[in-house]
Amino acid sequence: MSLFAQGVGFGLIQASIISIAAVGFTMQFGIANLLNLAFTEVMSVAGFVAYVTLSHSVNLWVSLVIAAGVGAVTSLLIAKLLYNPFRRRGAKPFTLAIVSLALGLFIQNAVLATVGVSYFTYPVTLGKEDIHVLGARFSGNELIIIAIAVGVMLCLHLLLQFTQLGRAMRAMACNRDLARSSGIPAGRIEGLVWLLSGALAGIAGVVFFLNVSTFTPSTASSFLIVIIAAAVLGGAGDVYGAMIGAVIVGEAIGISSLWLPTYSTVTAFVLLILVLLLRPEGVRAIFRARSEVAA
């Protein structure tokens, strides 16, 4: 087995988890224009709900759907009951970011008070034998995570490109005021985006907890910087850019883990800083610039 191939394989698993979360995170920023730092806590809530259902012998796929529903409803309630009232009062983006940070701490401590100070593990193992693919070794859980990510990204692509909702979402991400003046119901679309991005947070929470050996109520919060790095790397608010950014960040973490296993996540910090310095509009802007030059 090639050591480098195993690093690439590990990076693919990381990219799969990051892509689901980063797309949901950047969708909220691009359409709702809000930096929701409580995103990972929604992941955590949904992930623990899935833990409860799995502990009661509920099928993983059913638990995944339940977690997605919990994430969707939680995100919409947060938007309606907390963020929107602040926005109606003219709160600045920085104020909303601080509010989301405080909300994240509140949710994390609420989960801690509910489940207690302990370590948890998902009571499910999908396949006991490792599977070798192109020199890399994957467990059953890891292959399921990759399959879920591919399926989710494919469904999002179809939604964005071939549905009226997807076209409205892309219009609002480009220019909210112009979209509203063109007859697009911005408030309704934003509510649907909160539901969709919350569902992605729920799915991301399940696959994230499924991949780690043990987790606590604060485990998901450590994943926030990785999500932000992927979203910024792809271009804040750009769904397809977040997918590309997730692959880059995930592979950077996977390959760097070969030499710096303890500090591999620091790679996300380094990439975030480099992108902000060299290409703040995101890597996908490079492809757009090249296509414009070619035209």
Side-chain angles (χ1 to χ4, degrees), residues 251-263:
E251 288 298 342
I253 292 174
I255 294 173
S256 64
S257 67
L258 298 175
W259 297 280
L260 299 169
T262 306
Y263 304 101

Side-chain angles (χ1 to χ4, degrees), residues 59-282:
N59 183 278
L60 174 64
W61 303 107
V62 176
S63 298
L64 188 68
V65 172
I66 293 173
V70 169
V73 172
T74 302
S75 290
L76 183 62
L77 288 176
I78 288 172
K80 295 292 186 182
L81 300 179
L82 184 65
Y83 294 147
N84 287 353
F86 272 94
R87 292 164 74 180
R88 285 194 293 267
R89 288 174 172 80
K92 301 296 183 183
F94 179 76
T95 301
L96 290 171
I98 296 301
V99 169
S100 71
L101 182 62
L103 174 65
L105 292 173
F106 173 80
I107 295 175
Q108 183 181 135
N109 282 279
V111 174
L112 179 63
T114 302
V115 303
V117 182
S118 184
Y119 289 90
F120 301 87
T121 303
Y122 270 2
V124 57
T125 301
L126 305 174
K128 297 180 179 180
E129 294 185 2
D130 291 335
I131 300 171
H132 295 265
V133 180
L134 298 177
R137 184 181 68 249
F138 298 94
S139 67
N141 286 3
E142 292 168 343
L143 290 176
I144 287 295
I145 289 171
I146 295 172
I148 290 172
V150 171
V152 169
M153 295 305 108
L154 179 59
C155 290
L156 280 172
H157 170 70
L158 295 175
L159 172 70
L160 291 172
Q161 297 298 326
F162 302 106
T163 68
Q164 186 175 356
L165 172 60
R167 288 189 286 270
M169 288 169 57
R170 287 189 284 123
M172 285 185 61
C174 291
N175 191 317
R176 184 186 181 92
D177 293 333
L178 180 60
R180 188 192 298 272
S181 64
S182 301
I184 294 176
R188 186 185 307 169
I189 297 299
E190 185 173 310
L192 291 173
V193 166
W194 279 106
L195 282 171
L196 180 57
S197 60
L200 291 174
I203 296 171
V206 174
V207 297
F208 180 60
F209 285 168
L210 187 64
N211 185 58
V212 297
S213 55
T214 59
F215 56 88
T216 68
S218 62
T219 298
S221 61
S222 62
F223 200 55
L224 180 62
I225 188 62
V226 179
I227 297 172
I228 294 176
V232 172
L233 184 59
D238 189 330
V239 170
Y240 290 105
M243 296 179 190
I244 297 172
V247 173
I248 296 173
V249 172
E251 288 298 342
I253 292 174
I255 294 173
S256 64
S257 67
L258 298 175
W259 297 280
L260 299 169
T262 306
Y263 304 101
S264 60
T265 308
V266 176
T267 308
F269 286 91
V270 176
L271 286 173
L272 178 59
I273 294 171
L274 289 176
V275 169
L276 290 174
L277 287 174
L278 303 176
R279 185 64 67 172
E281 66 273 27

